[in-house]
Amino acid sequence: MKSDSLKTKDLIHVGVYTAIYIVVFFTVGMINAIPFLYPLLFILVPLITGIPFMLFLTKVEKFGMVSIMAVIIGIFWYIMGYTWIPTVSFIVLGLISDFVMKAGKYKKFSMNILGFVIFSCSMLGLPAPMWLMTETYMAGVREAMGEKYVMEVTKFMPPWMGFVALVCIIISSILGAFIGRRMLKKHFERAGIA
Amino acid sequence: MEENIIYEPPKHRGLYLDPRTKVLVMLVLATLIFFVHKNLILNSILVFIPIFLLISDKRYRPAFIYGGLFVITIFVKIYGGKFEFPYLISMILGLIVELIFRFFPVFMFGYYIIKSTKPNEFISAMNLWHVPEAFIIPVSVVFRFVPTLAEENKSISNAMRMREIRFGTKKFLKNPSMILEYRLVPLMMSVAKIGEELSAAALSRGLGGLKKRTCMVELRFGIWDVCMAILIFALVIWTIIGRI
């Protein structure tokens, strides 16, 4: 018998996969210290996090698990000093993606891809302060990182980059979802984990 | 018949902060960091709070490493403007200064929280705040899991080195995607298993039962929490005055 409410076991799974997601994101995210590699972030992160996320989805059968993950990650970014925008974007988009995947009962692959794309889009919130509050944000960064970093970053991250980044995220998260599914078929199902 | 001895929670010695105070201070710290980067003294105080707490918890090594780095960056920040460094070096220097001043206070505070708070204290403190369990359990699992992940990752990279899977070897050039696959897949395998075991262990200890759980440690705000509150309050006021 399966109930709809979250059990302790599910909550522990959420914690485990959130930890993986954060660690992978953070390790890959280190490259954004070098300005001209910043756009690469939007390609690499969804591509790599596809594998843990797809495995996570095999454990998810109840509504709310993706949302809790999104809330934790959002609060994590706030504490890491990325203003409140990523927190909001993660929570809102995480909820939406949870609804989308619920429509496919977390089993239908097409719905899962859509959900993962939406979830990945929330990482647009990380550089968003750069575009939304350009003046105040850049003044702060200039103080801290020096004039040259600001010039480099604005050169490689003009506001229209937002749309390019969105397209990059969508394409690479679809790819990431497929890679994740291939990995599931190739390794995890055989080992009896997925 | 012997009488049962009534359990008394151990008294806290030395500097002891309530977990609730720790979490609140961390949130305030993370917020203040946005606003103080123009005020060097205020920022230094923010940096010194985690160092002081780490020393009070007898974690001398991280405290001294961080303190040393901080002294160096203060010199860079005060005298750095006088020299013209080449582009790359100045960028790296700027990055380090940024890291030490903006991210490390919160990092180190998080490290202090993880090292000085036992999970049961954390959980019961959050219970006192009526945070829903759906949020407490995943967060405490995340705290517990990050060190495990690092450990697993290290052993996997050892195994990979033994089989010549690294950047630039012949095997790598034949199939570059393997560097990702061969690292992530075993990692996820072991993590999925550890997760299963963890949840079994937690369930057998009664997590997720219907009864309300109790905690062996008595949580109460003490004199140190009051001191911390006054300090943080003063810092907030200072920041607001500085902004106007």
Side-chain angles (χ1 to χ4, degrees):
Chain A
M1 201 181 85
K2 266 182 196 161
S3 65
D4 278 342
S5 63
L6 292 165
K7 291 267 171 56
T8 311
K9 195 166 164 264
D10 306 323
L11 295 176
I12 291 174
H13 277 308
V14 174
V16 169
Y17 290 97
T18 311
I20 300 182
Y21 192 90
I22 288 178
V23 168
V24 170
F25 204 126
F26 210 69
T27 326
V28 178
M30 284 299 177
I31 60 168
N32 78 4
I34 308 166
F36 60 87
L37 287 181
Y38 207 124
L40 217 70
L41 194 69
F42 302 114
I43 299 169
L44 280 180
V45 168
L47 214 58
I48 297 175
T49 52
I51 303 174
F53 200 85
M54 283 296 132
L55 187 58
F56 177 54
L57 286 182
T58 63
K59 311 278 183 194
V60 177
E61 276 148 358
K62 291 158 190 169
F63 178 71
M65 291 175 79
V66 180
S67 321
I68 294 173
M69 187 176 177
V71 170
I72 295 174
I73 296 173
I75 291 174
F76 174 76
W77 288 127
Y78 180 76
I79 288 172
M80 291 308 296
Y82 279 88
T83 73
W84 48 270
I85 293 179
T87 316
V88 173
S89 77
F90 263 96
I91 292 174
V92 170
L93 289 175
L95 258 177
I96 296 173
S97 106
D98 213 347
F99 274 115
V100 166
M101 286 188 272
K102 191 181 187 258
K105 292 207 166 50
Y106 302 101
K107 291 270 190 282
K108 218 172 164 192
F109 187 56
S110 55
M111 279 303 186
N112 283 352
I113 288 183
L114 192 58
F116 180 56
V117 169
I118 294 171
F119 190 83
S120 296
C121 283
S122 54
M123 63 178 276
L124 267 182
L126 294 179
M130 214 182 286
W131 302 314
L132 296 179
M133 318 187 277
T134 316
E135 281 310 305
T136 47
Y137 183 77
M138 276 308 170
V141 177
R142 184 172 292 127
E143 193 84 10
M145 303 281 263
E147 187 70 39
K148 282 187 174 141
Y149 182 86
V150 171
M151 269 161 58
E152 288 285 300
V153 167
T154 36
K155 199 163 83 189
F156 289 102
M157 298 291 282
W160 52 264
M161 263 309 282
F163 299 101
V164 179
L166 189 67
V167 174
C168 281
I169 287 177
I170 291 172
I171 291 171
S172 61
S173 53
I174 291 172
L175 267 177
F178 273 102
I179 292 177
R181 189 170 72 152
R182 226 192 79 214
M183 291 292 156
L184 280 187
K185 289 242 165 79
K186 193 174 165 193
H187 297 288
F188 295 106
E189 278 175 16
R190 209 164 40 177
I193 288 177
Chain B
M1 280 283 279
E2 273 181 60
E3 261 187 57
N4 285 332
I5 301 162
I6 296 169
Y7 173 77
E8 276 196 17
K11 288 263 181 298
H12 307 296
R13 281 204 203 116
L15 200 160
Y16 176 81
L17 289 175
D18 193 284
R20 289 169 287 178
T21 320
K22 289 177 194 165
V23 173
L24 268 183
V25 170
M26 180 146 167
L27 283 179
V28 174
L29 214 60
T31 315
L32 277 186
I33 287 286
F34 294 143
F35 300 110
V36 298
H37 49 74
K38 279 186 189 131
N39 191 337
L40 193 62
I41 303 168
L42 195 52
N43 206 337
S44 314
I45 293 175
L46 286 192
V47 173
F48 268 112
I49 292 174
I51 293 182
F52 175 67
L53 286 174
L54 278 173
I55 290 175
S56 78
D57 198 39
K58 299 200 175 56
R59 312 248 166 224
Y60 297 116
R61 238 184 104 213
F64 280 117
I65 291 172
Y66 181 41
L69 280 175
F70 177 67
V71 171
I72 294 171
T73 44
I74 281 215
F75 274 109
V76 171
K77 210 162 177 170
I78 294 173
Y79 299 108
K82 292 182 181 163
F83 304 106
E84 276 292 320
F85 287 114
Y87 170 65
L88 200 65
I89 294 176
S90 72
M91 206 179 76
I92 292 170
L93 272 182
L95 199 71
I96 293 172
V97 170
E98 158 86 343
L99 269 179
I100 302 261
F101 271 94
R102 284 192 68 185
F103 292 109
F104 268 44
V106 186
F107 261 167
M108 294 319 269
F109 205 86
Y111 181 80
Y112 167 71
I113 290 183
I114 291 173
K115 286 290 172 190
S116 68
T117 315
K118 294 187 194 94
N120 59 348
E121 280 177 30
F122 179 76
I123 290 176
S124 69
M126 291 296 108
N127 268 330
L128 282 178
W129 263 349
H130 303 286
V131 180
E133 201 154 64
F135 187 73
I136 302 171
I137 296 175
V139 170
S140 39
V141 171
V142 170
F143 274 144
R144 185 207 169 279
F145 234 75
V146 173
T148 315
L149 274 177
E151 208 174 285
E152 294 288 322
N153 185 33
K154 207 176 144 204
S155 6
I156 289 170
S157 59
N158 278 343
M160 277 173 48
R161 196 174 307 135
M162 208 160 72
R163 292 170 179 76
E164 282 190 14
I165 304 170
R166 279 155 88 187
F167 279 108
T169 57
K170 221 186 243 173
K171 275 185 183 172
F172 168 72
L173 291 176
K174 258 186 215 162
N175 181 8
S177 75
M178 69 201 260
I179 202 145
L180 183 65
E181 183 183 342
Y182 287 14
R183 181 177 290 268
L184 264 183
V185 169
L187 191 64
M188 311 262 309
M189 290 269 190
S190 59
V191 158
K193 279 204 181 114
I194 294 171
E196 300 276 340
E197 282 161 18
L198 190 68
S199 57
L203 284 179
S204 63
R205 286 182 206 164
L207 195 70
L210 295 172
K211 284 234 166 126
K212 197 170 183 293
R213 288 155 54 82
T214 54
C215 182
M216 302 249 295
V217 187
E218 201 176 3
L219 290 174
R220 201 178 278 166
F221 289 118
I223 181 83
W224 290 105
D225 299 292
V226 177
C227 296
M228 204 67 195
I230 293 172
L231 176 64
I232 292 296
F233 196 66
L235 285 179
V236 171
I237 299 256
W238 191 357
T239 313
I240 293 171
I241 290 174
R243 295 287 286 185
I244 300 168

